[in-house]
Amino acid sequence: MRQQYSSYDECVDFFKQAQISNPDLFKVESIGKTWEDRDIIAVSITKNIDTHLEKPALFYTGTIHAREWIGIELSLSFAKYILDHIDYDPQLNAILDRATLYMVPCANPDGFEYSRNHFSFWRKNRRKNADGSFGVDLNRNFSIGFTPNKDTTSNVYSGPSAFSEPETASLRDFFTSHNNITIALDYHSQGNVFFPAHNFIHEDAIDAVDLNLLASNMAEEIRKESGREYGVHMGKPPVHLISGSGREFYYGQGALSLVVEVGTRNISDYKEHMSENIEENIPALIFALSEVNNYKKENALFRVENFIATKVGSREVELKWDYPDDETVYFEIYRSRTKKGFAQASNRIGMTKLKTYEDKNLRASTNYYYYVRAVCKKRNIKSPYAQVLGVRTQPLENMFSKILYPLADKIGYVGEKTKKNTEHFGNNSMFVGISESKGECFGVCGFSLSTIPQNAIITSASISFYPMNRVSVQVESYGEWRVGQIDERTIDSISSFEDIKNAKTLSYIDRPTGSAQLSQGIWRTYKFAAQEIAVLQKSLARSEALFKFEGPSSLPLDRASQLMQWDIGYGKFSGGLTYRPKLDISYTVNEAKLELQSSKEFTALENKILENELVAGYDKDGNKKYSCIEFDLSQWPEMDNTVISSAYIEIDAININSTNTLRFHIEMVKPCEGERTYEKIKAREIIERIGYDVSVSDIKSEPKQRFVFDTYAINEMVENIEKDYKAVFVISASSHKALSKNQDVTFMDDKRLKRPSLTINYIKKRRNAPAKVENLRHSIESNVIKLEWDIPDDDGYSGVIVVKNPFRVPCSPYDGQKLYGGTDNYTYDNFGDTSVHKYYAVFSYDDVPNFSDSVFIELNPKEK
C-alpha cells in the first residue's frame, strides 16, 4: 500500500518537471530549509506565471502533520488534474486567468519522511529537543493563540516559542509576502469535516458566514462527486479550541481560512479509500479557487447589510436588505433548509436588481435559511455574503406546531462496558455506536408530550440530532445509525444497558444514516412516515415518547471505534441549547362545524324581484337572471380565537331548463344598500368567486353541487362578516355563445325545503400574538451575561424565546442563536463574551405559536 504513495523527493521532482514542461503555468521555489536540510518548496500555478502576484490567490498547505499523507498526495493529484485539463477545460482556464494557486505540498518534509520510513504514526517535525526527545507540533507553533507547553514528548508540544521552527517561519514569511492571498486551506486527516477558523471568543465574527459557506459549498462539491457528506464545525463551546495553528494565523492576516480533515484514518488504503478521497476533493478545490476573486482586499464589493424578513407567512417570506445604489450591481438570493447550508446554482432561488424579494411556495412550519450577495456584472465579482437570515414559516391556518426538547433526566447514553451509565444522563454528550473501550452504546432521548393536547391529531413530525465528533467514526461505508421509538413501559431503568438494548421497538424513524453521510456540525433529521406518526399519536395518551439511537454493533477487523458523539445540550460537555436534540411536531385538532341554511333568497329579473325563488340563467331577451342568497351569521363564532379551516356552499338543482351551453358560478358580493333592484344586482361589487364553475351537464349528472372557498375567499368572508354579520352570494350564468335565451336552472324548491346551505369547519385557535415582555434588562454575574424581563399579563402567554445576533436586531425567533425557550423570566448567555457588541431579543409566544414583536437590547453599542 505505501509504495503507492509518493516520497517527498518524488513530489519535488514532479513539480520541477511540471515547471520545465509548462514554464508559463508552474513556478517552483524553495521557501526555507528544514532541520534536516531539506528544501521546503512552494509551487505557484496560474496562467502567465509572471503575473501571479497581480491576481488574488488560494494558499494550499498539506502534511504539516507528518502522518497525514493526504496533503501531499492531493497536491500532486490536483496539479496533475490541471496539467491534464488546461488545454481544453474552459472553466479551469477562466479561473487560472483570474486567480493564482500557491501550494506548499508538504509543510513538514522531515517528519513526513520519518513517518514513511520509520514510525508511521509520527506527527511532529524532527527538531532535536534539549532533553534528547524529538519534534514540535508545527500546527501549534504559529503565533495566534500560541500556548507554551513544557512536555517535549507530547504530540502537541508547541515548541520553545512561536515560529521557532524553520517550517512555520517559512510558511509565515511566504504568506506575509503575498498580500494577494484571500483564501487559505490547510489539509489534514482524518474526519471528513471542514473546520473554519475561529476568533477564540465564541462569538461569530462578521465573516463567519463566509467561512461556513466556503466550507459548505466545498462539501456540496464533494457530495455531488461521491455522495460523501462532509461536516462543517467552527469549534463552538465547549470544545477546546486549538491554539497556535496555521489556520488562525492565516485568518488573522485577513484570509478566509479552513482546515480540511480528509478520510477516516491518517494513512488510508490508497486504492480503496485514498484515491476516492483525492478525486472528490478536486472539484471542491476548483470551487474554492473560483471564489478567491470575491474576497480580494482591494476594490472589493460591499457586503449586503440589514438583511431581514419583513413578513413570514405559512407559504411565503418577504426579504429586504440595504445596499448602496449601483446600476452595475444585482443580487443573488439562496435558500437552504439547514443553517450551514450551501449557496450554489441548485439552491439559488432568485436574482434581482431590487433590494427586496418574495419567496413563495414554501412549506408551513418549516425552518429556512437565506443568503444574499451582491454581484457586479461589469467587474465580474461577487461580494461577501450577508449574514445568514433564519426564519420559520407559520403553521397552516388549521395547524399548530411544537418544538420539544428532551427532559434533562431522560437524555444520555448507556454503554456495554461503561461503569457509570447513570452519570451519562443530563450532563454528558450522547455516544452511539461501538468501540473497544466502551462496547456497544445506545443513545436515549425522552420527551414530555404534556404540552400537546390529548385531542391533537399529529400530521407531521421529525427528530433531529447534532453530531459533534466525526473523527472517531473511522470506517467508510460500514454501519448505520438509526432512531427508533421504544416502549417506555418495557423498561425498568433508563440507565440500564440491558433494558435499553432489549426494549421493545415500536417503530424506526425514517431511513438510517450511513457512515459516509455522518457530517460533524450539520443537523441530522429523521422524518416520521405515516405509520411512525401513528405510533407517536398513541404516545399522546401516555404524555411521553422515548427514543433509542443505535449504531453499528460490531467492528471491522482493523478498527477500534465506530462511535459517533452527538451533543445533548446540557452540562459541561455540551454546547448549550443551540445543539440540543429536538422533536418537531405539527398537529391539528378536531374541527367544529357550523351548518347554516340560507335566511333569504330572491331572483333578480330585469323587470322584477322574485322573493323566495332561486332561478339563474337568461330570459327570452337574453338578459341574465340572478339568484341571490343571504346567510344570517349571527351564530358566527368569536373570531379572535377561531380559525376557519374550510367552508363550502351546497345548492340543489330542482329544475333544469337549459342546453349544455350554460355554466354557473357563485360570487360572494357586498350587500346592497337600500331597496333591492335589478340594476344594483347587475352592478354588484364582487368580493370573490367561490370554487369552480359548473356546467349544465355537471348538474344533470349530480344535482347537488358543492362550491368550496379557497383561503383568500375565507379571509374575505371573515373580514366582511365581522362588519355585517351576514353573507350574500349571487349565482350567475355564463355561456360561450354570444346570445343565450330562455335557459335557466332552478336551485330551490317552492317550499324552501332544499335551501342552499353554508358549511363552515373551524377550530379554536388564537389568531393574534400575546403581549410582549416588558423591562428587558441585563446584568453581569461572575462574568456571565444574565438577561431578565417582566412577564406580561396575558392569558394567551405561554413563554418566550430568547435569541442573540451580533449583527442586527433579530427579526424572528430563528434569526440568530437561540439561548432559551420556556416560561422563566430570566436566562444566561453562558458562552457570551461580555465585551462584544450584540443584540438580544425576546419574543413572547402562545400555544400556536404566534410570536410577538421582539423586545430587544443592544450590548456594547458601536460608535456611530
Side-chain angles (χ1 to χ4, degrees), residues 540-589:
L540 289 180
R542 306 192 300 274
S543 295
E544 64 177 307
L546 189 64
F547 297 87
K548 179 170 73 173
F549 204 176
E550 57 187 271
S553 58
S554 62
L555 289 168
L557 292 175
D558 60 343
R559 299 297 173 96
S561 177
Q562 188 76 342
L563 200 63
M564 187 70 195
Q565 179 185 3
W566 305 79
D567 191 83
I568 66 171
Y570 298 90
K572 64 180 181 179
F573 299 111
S574 73
L577 180 64
T578 303
Y579 308 109
R580 193 175 301 173
K582 51 196 174 188
L583 180 62
D584 191 340
I585 296 177
S586 292
Y587 64 93
T588 187
V589 294

Side-chain angles (χ1 to χ4, degrees), residues 212-226:
N212 281 326
L213 276 171
L214 175 61
S216 295
N217 281 323
M218 293 178 70
E220 174 63 6
E221 293 297 317
I222 292 169
R223 188 201 63 80
K224 288 188 291 187
E225 175 70 21
S226 66

